[in-house]
Amino acid sequence: MNGPHDLGGQMGFGPVAPEQNEPVFHAEWEKLALGITLSCGAFGAWTLDESRHARENIPPAQYLGASYYEIWIRALETLLERHGFASDEEISAGHKLQEPAKPKRVLTADMVPGVLARGGPCDRPVDTEPRFAVGDRVRTRNFNPVTHTRLPRYAREKTGVVEAVQGSFVFADDNAHGHGENPQWVYTVVFDGGEIWGEGADPTLTVSIDAWESYLERV
């Protein structure tokens, strides 16, 4: 979707200014936000892609005015309500008002190191050969879905060259909406600055994106 999260190439936001010696957390509550988000994710009720889409759906004024972990918590509230774990009234009250849905699993303290070490690999086998090879010229599709997509606005309907075939991975656009993993081949595609940014772009600039196969057409 074309939401407030998709800021690539947007004007008026100033330069990216990394914080020197940035701490892992800026406040104690951020530790709790990370912990509760991971713990609830372990319920097995939603996918990583659905959680990303929940963040993208935060109204723009709220999204742009929120910090990183505020965005996480606002999206988590949406997911908890959607899947029957907590209602808006319960979140406002700060305690249970009715019996919630039962999670498929519960993350206990002793499980955390192993779970974090394993991560959540998204590579999956597919039965088809890659449609494209390194060196192929391809064009990205031009679409504006209201659903989740990993193809940024600035890279739509642009011509580039396949730089690498990365393997096959869960198709996030489907997985975010409960339509299955439907894995596809993923390619790194490189574009020159002029193709992406137009006249006046830095001629030495290139931009690379990782694109699922269905995003691409052969040139």
Side-chain angles (χ1 to χ4, degrees):
M1 62 181 296
N2 297 336
H5 64 289
D6 193 357
L7 289 177
Q10 300 301 302
M11 296 181 178
F13 290 93
V16 176
E19 183 178 341
Q20 296 297 316
N21 301 313
E22 182 178 12
V24 176
F25 300 103
H26 291 79
E28 284 298 306
W29 72 265
E30 293 186 341
K31 298 179 183 179
L32 300 177
L34 173 61
I36 195 171
T37 300
L38 294 178
S39 297
C40 292
F43 288 172
W46 56 80
T47 65
L48 177 62
D49 299 307
E50 184 181 352
S51 69
R52 285 193 175 118
H53 190 54
R55 295 168 196 167
E56 297 164 0
N57 270 291
I58 296 171
Q62 294 180 25
Y63 186 100
L64 296 173
S67 69
Y68 182 75
Y69 283 111
E70 285 175 332
I71 291 170
W72 276 38
I73 289 297
R74 289 177 182 177
L76 179 61
E77 290 175 353
T78 295
L79 293 166
L80 290 171
E81 181 181 17
R82 179 184 298 166
H83 292 278
F85 294 106
S87 66
D88 279 344
E89 293 77 17
E90 289 173 313
I91 291 171
S92 297
H95 58 81
K96 184 176 73 171
L97 298 175
Q98 58 191 17
E99 285 302 313
K102 292 190 178 299
K104 296 177 183 177
R105 53 185 175 270
V106 174
L107 184 67
T108 57
D110 61 298
M111 296 165 58
V112 170
V115 168
L116 294 182
R118 288 192 297 274
C122 295
D123 53 317
R124 301 288 189 274
V126 293
D127 296 330
T128 59
E129 294 297 315
R131 286 183 58 203
F132 308 107
V134 173
D136 284 353
R137 294 184 73 238
V138 292
R139 180 182 298 108
T140 55
R141 294 169 53 207
N142 184 15
F143 58 89
N144 295 278
V146 296
T147 51
H148 181 66
T149 185
R150 301 299 292 276
L151 181 61
R153 278 176 290 186
Y154 67 79
R156 296 176 192 164
E157 202 173 17
K158 305 295 183 182
T159 299
V161 177
V162 174
E163 189 174 59
V165 181
Q166 296 291 0
S168 51
F169 296 84
V170 172
F171 185 44
D173 301 39
D174 282 351
N175 201 42
H177 303 282
H179 301 318
E181 294 189 337
N182 304 326
Q184 296 183 12
W185 289 100
V186 173
Y187 307 85
T188 298
V189 181
V190 61
F191 309 88
D192 65 45
E195 180 67 14
I196 294 291
W197 308 123
E199 295 181 14
D202 182 347
T204 67
L205 177 71
T206 60
V207 176
S208 296
I209 68 167
D210 286 338
W212 272 264
E213 193 167 78
S214 62
Y215 295 166
L216 304 174
E217 301 168 342
R218 189 179 304 279
V219 174

